[in-house]
Amino acid sequence: MSSSGHSVESPRMCPDCAKISLDVVIPTRNRARRLGNCLETLARQNCGPNMVYIVNNGSTDDTSEVIRSFSVRLQIREVFLPTPGEGLARQTGYGNAKSALVAFTDDDCLAGENWCHMIRRTHMDKPEAAIVQGRSINDDPSNKFGIAMQHRFDIATWDSRPGYRSRWSIENIDGKLDRSVNVSLGPEAVDTKNMSLRRAIVSDIEPVFDISLPTLSDQSLGTRVKQKDLDIVFEPDMFVRHQYRRGWMMLWRTYSLYGRCLAMIHHNHGCKHITVPVDLKSSLLFLLEWSLGPARISMRAGPGRFLWQWPYQIAMESAFKFGILHEKFFNRTKSESNSQGASLE
């Protein structure tokens, strides 16, 4: 029975998928059309989810109507959350989910037709994995902002960690995927655009998503999972297509917020996968990354794309570093002075 009261047939499943239950959580806010496109891809899954939880994070558009329109095709429930917050929405969805596996995607993502099947199969093949991370693909080849952001994400996530295999090794010249890349990944690989977790393994991590962060609650989870020496596994056949937004102001706001939140994660959990200037050595490394990082990332895009990628990468790196500095030297100083003032009263 769906949330609207309509009777829905059990989702199609192969015998293997029927062995383990899977719920999908999608936070959304005022993006009804994109949410409808996302739900359409879930309704067409070869092996569907047991339940889809839509966390309506205070939408004022026709999001609820879109959800109800899928109530005869999906086991779907709307969870209304009036308080905005990315981490809070994910944590609320996780708290409502009941299945052994809980998958997350965004309302602007389109799941591959075997997405749910690959989630279940990978967790069954890798029962020790706390998290299975899939790959995301830019959905619009004409969107240069999307191409540049996806390229930076790929490099930063899969290519920068010593001891981890580069994402660039997963595709052979003929475009086929190299399945030998199923290895444990670093904390920055965790991305709720395309991620699933096994409830029994992460149950002692509370809260699963850090509700104090404006964004990147998924990377906070990844940091804490790795600190507990739990496995994060990459499955390249588990993919979604991501519909990136456009605009320079969007780019700046997004990456300055990423910088702020990663500085907060660094402060709260001691993660070491970003550089925060705390002494002379780290300050010099910080400046070196700022000056050389955009060129290094742009060159990895290939000779034909270097020149047009460079200004996008400079903008993203500058916004990212600005966010780190803003959190380090303004927000934290302000919060510390406030706490000191409160203690004197």
Side-chain angles (χ1 to χ4, degrees), residues 168-181:
W168 297 99
S169 69
I170 69 171
E171 294 199 20
N172 300 324
I173 294 175
D174 60 359
K176 293 182 179 178
L177 293 170
D178 177 7
R179 295 195 53 79
S180 66
V181 77

Side-chain angles (χ1 to χ4, degrees), residues 38-50:
C38 176
L39 291 175
E40 183 64 35
T41 64
L42 292 181
R44 295 181 179 181
Q45 292 291 300
N46 291 334
C47 295
N50 293 83

Side-chain angles (χ1 to χ4, degrees), residues 43-166:
R44 295 181 179 181
Q45 292 291 300
N46 291 334
C47 295
N50 293 83
M51 181 64 70
V52 179
Y53 291 90
I54 308 298
V55 183
N56 186 344
N57 207 189
S59 297
T60 56
D61 62 0
D62 58 347
T63 290
S64 294
E65 287 75 11
V66 169
I67 296 170
R68 283 194 289 271
S69 72
F70 281 89
S71 61
V72 295
R73 301 174 63 194
L74 286 167
Q75 296 281 357
I76 190 167
R77 290 181 184 171
E78 180 180 14
V79 181
F80 192 78
L81 180 68
T83 305
E86 181 184 284
L88 180 60
R90 289 170 179 159
Q91 183 64 29
T92 300
Y94 174 79
N96 278 269
K98 308 300 181 188
S99 289
L101 307 178
V102 184
F104 294 83
T105 190
D106 289 346
D107 56 8
D108 57 356
C109 290
L110 307 173
E113 63 180 13
N114 290 319
W115 186 64
C116 290
H117 173 77
M118 292 308 306
I119 291 171
R120 289 186 175 101
R121 196 188 79 176
T122 307
H123 275 286
M124 287 189 286
D125 290 346
K126 304 278 185 177
E128 74 284 356
I131 292 174
V132 172
Q133 178 65 50
R135 60 175 180 146
S136 59
I137 303 169
N138 173 41
D139 185 54
D140 183 0
S142 69
N143 181 1
K144 288 192 173 183
F145 289 96
I147 294 171
M149 292 170 74
Q150 184 68 54
H151 177 63
R152 181 183 177 88
F153 175 79
D154 290 345
I155 290 288
T157 302
W158 311 109
D159 197 51
S160 62
R161 291 278 293 180
Y164 294 101
R165 195 175 305 207
S166 167

Side-chain angles (χ1 to χ4, degrees), residues 103-311:
F104 294 83
T105 190
D106 289 346
D107 56 8
D108 57 356
C109 290
L110 307 173
E113 63 180 13
N114 290 319
W115 186 64
C116 290
H117 173 77
M118 292 308 306
I119 291 171
R120 289 186 175 101
R121 196 188 79 176
T122 307
H123 275 286
M124 287 189 286
D125 290 346
K126 304 278 185 177
E128 74 284 356
I131 292 174
V132 172
Q133 178 65 50
R135 60 175 180 146
S136 59
I137 303 169
N138 173 41
D139 185 54
D140 183 0
S142 69
N143 181 1
K144 288 192 173 183
F145 289 96
I147 294 171
M149 292 170 74
Q150 184 68 54
H151 177 63
R152 181 183 177 88
F153 175 79
D154 290 345
I155 290 288
T157 302
W158 311 109
D159 197 51
S160 62
R161 291 278 293 180
Y164 294 101
R165 195 175 305 207
S166 167
R167 177 167 184 169
W168 297 99
S169 69
I170 69 171
E171 294 199 20
N172 300 324
I173 294 175
D174 60 359
K176 293 182 179 178
L177 293 170
D178 177 7
R179 295 195 53 79
S180 66
V181 77
N182 252 0
V183 295
S184 293
L185 299 170
E188 70 274 34
V190 175
D191 178 12
T192 43
K193 286 197 296 291
N194 186 10
M195 180 202 84
S196 64
L197 52 85
R198 185 181 286 268
R199 183 188 295 275
I201 298 180
V202 302
S203 58
D204 62 338
I205 299 177
E206 289 292 342
V208 172
F209 294 102
D210 188 342
I211 64 175
S212 69
L213 294 172
T215 188
L216 298 188
S217 59
D218 44 11
Q219 293 204 15
S220 171
L221 170 62
T223 297
R224 289 174 289 144
V225 163
K226 293 304 289 186
Q227 286 174 345
K228 289 182 175 291
D229 201 29
L230 301 174
D231 285 340
I232 304 171
V233 171
F234 175 50
E235 173 48 66
D237 287 339
M238 171 184 153
F239 70 89
V240 300
R241 298 188 180 277
H242 184 219
Q243 304 170 81
Y244 284 95
R245 292 175 291 168
R246 304 169 186 251
W248 291 105
M249 286 303 297
M250 174 278 302
L251 203 72
W252 181 269
R253 286 195 301 266
T254 298
Y255 278 87
S256 60
L257 187 59
Y258 285 173
R260 280 186 55 205
C261 290
L262 280 174
M264 293 168 68
I265 296 170
H266 183 277
H267 176 72
N268 294 338
H269 303 295
C271 60
K272 296 179 172 58
H273 60 281
I274 63 164
T275 303
V276 176
V278 294
D279 53 27
L280 179 60
K281 181 179 178 181
S282 60
S283 298
L284 290 174
L285 180 58
F286 184 86
L287 293 173
L288 187 65
E289 290 176 352
W290 197 339
S291 58
L292 298 182
R296 181 185 70 87
I297 294 174
S298 300
M299 284 189 291
R300 292 300 299 270
R305 291 184 172 183
F306 172 77
L307 288 178
W308 77 256
Q309 277 264 3
W310 201 6

